[in-house]
Amino acid sequence: MTYWLRLIAGVLVAAIGVVAFAWPEATLRVVAFLFGLNLLVMGVSRAVVALISKEAPAVTRWLAGIFGVLVTLVGVVCLQNPTGSLSLLLLIVAIGWILDGLGEIVVAFGRHEPGGGWRIALGVAVLLAAIGILVWPGLGLATFLLIGATLLVFAGICLVVGAIAGLRSRSTA
């Protein structure tokens, strides 16, 4: 069940990234909506997986659940105030990505399951994108959109490949 949930989340996240790529003239409101939606999808899926997964140690599930709830809340903040300043949006998205990246890495190390390397790659990529946004807060909307859309497509691919690896290992077991 958790692999299917990650597969669905991966497809949704990649689709959000493709929409962000396809809409380069997007306004701040659209960008805030897309990235808030991404954080919402990732947070909810992380929290649900933490609740229903029994394979991982309890500490890992608790941490993943907490990160999921926090990422969900950051996504809701993005969706509630899409007309805030670009600086605020960048900060909120960066915080969400940091939480999501850390959650992905914690879960990957706590589970030792097929596709774990993809989860670590995803967590590192998300953390690097968040650090890039925090280090260069003067990024323009177009640059932020390019970095963010690239990250979302990569994140979706990592989630899909990791979920497929998990589903394959279960079908051969």
Side-chain angles (χ1 to χ4, degrees), residues 16-92:
I16 292 168
V18 169
V19 169
F21 266 127
W23 207 344
E25 71 279 353
T27 65
L28 181 58
R29 170 171 271 172
V30 173
V31 171
F33 177 79
L34 290 174
F35 289 94
L37 186 61
N38 163 63
L39 292 171
L40 193 64
V41 167
M42 291 306 298
V44 168
S45 67
R46 183 173 315 287
V48 170
V49 167
L51 282 174
I52 65 174
S53 175
K54 301 299 179 213
E55 302 92 34
V59 171
T60 303
R61 289 195 328 261
W62 272 99
L63 283 174
I66 290 168
F67 280 132
V69 168
L70 291 174
V71 170
T72 301
L73 292 175
V74 172
V76 168
V77 169
C78 275
L79 291 173
Q80 266 189 331
N81 185 16
T83 57
S85 73
L86 181 57
S87 298
L88 179 60
L89 174 64
L90 292 174
L91 180 64
I92 290 171

Side-chain angles (χ1 to χ4, degrees), residues 3 6 114-116 118 159-171:
Y3 293 115
R6 285 202 321 240
W118 286 97
L159 285 166
V160 167
V161 171
I164 289 171
L167 289 169
R168 283 183 147 183
S169 73
R170 290 226 169 143
S171 67

